[in-house]
Amino acid sequence: MTAFNPYQAPKAPLYVAPTRVELEGDCWRDGAMLVVRAECRLPERCIKCNAPAATPIKHRRYYWHNPAWYLLILLNLLIYLLVAVAVRKNTRVSAGLCERHIQRRRLGLGVAWGGVFAGLGLMFYGAGSEQGWLIGVGVIALLGALIGGVAMARILVPSHIGPVYTRFKGCGSEFLATLPTYIGGR
């Protein structure tokens, strides 16, 4: 018979990890969000309108970091950039676009680049002439074209990249309606 030892370590486990439910497939919908596994190949349909995707479909890398890091911009932009590059997470996903949305993406990239060159040209011309107001117009044109062009050109927007699953915004409701519903946690 063994005597009770109050100094003996407990034998019961302190923490029992919950069991993970493995889902079949690589992509699901969670409301208006797309949930995928890392290195996923989405179905060969346009993620905006669900039309057949133009081939070849490019494998793109997406980056994400916690939005709380944006507070470092108030401290210093360079510090934010260095920290954001250090803490960002990434994943690769193949998402298809139809010809119409490929043209819209190209137009958005053209608007962004054209606005950068037009804005810089106006700023340099305004700095060299007596029309200083052109500098302000150039800054507004540059920022407006960049914001509008990038909004038109983006394909998917990561809202969270986790160790197993990634969540994206930016898919059309027609595409999401064809995917199974995601059941699980983050």
Side-chain angles (χ1 to χ4, degrees), residues 85-182:
V85 167
V87 301
R88 71 184 177 178
K89 298 176 184 177
N90 68 71
T91 190
R92 290 174 51 105
V93 174
S94 295
L97 292 174
C98 64
E99 284 298 326
R100 185 179 67 147
H101 286 102
I102 288 174
Q103 291 301 322
R104 179 181 163 90
R105 176 173 163 73
R106 287 182 184 149
L107 177 66
L109 291 172
V111 165
W113 280 108
V116 166
F117 291 126
L120 288 174
L122 284 171
M123 287 189 285
F124 284 124
Y125 182 74
S129 70
E130 296 176 4
Q131 300 170 337
W133 57 272
L134 284 176
I135 296 173
V137 171
V139 169
I140 292 171
L142 186 137
L143 291 176
L146 272 178
I147 292 169
V150 168
M152 286 175 64
R154 68 183 180 181
I155 297 174
L156 289 173
V157 180
S159 63
H160 183 267
I161 296 178
V164 179
Y165 301 111
T166 301
R167 295 175 170 270
F168 287 102
K169 298 177 189 173
C171 287
S173 58
E174 298 89 2
F175 177 77
L176 289 173
T178 64
L179 299 177
T181 303
Y182 177 71

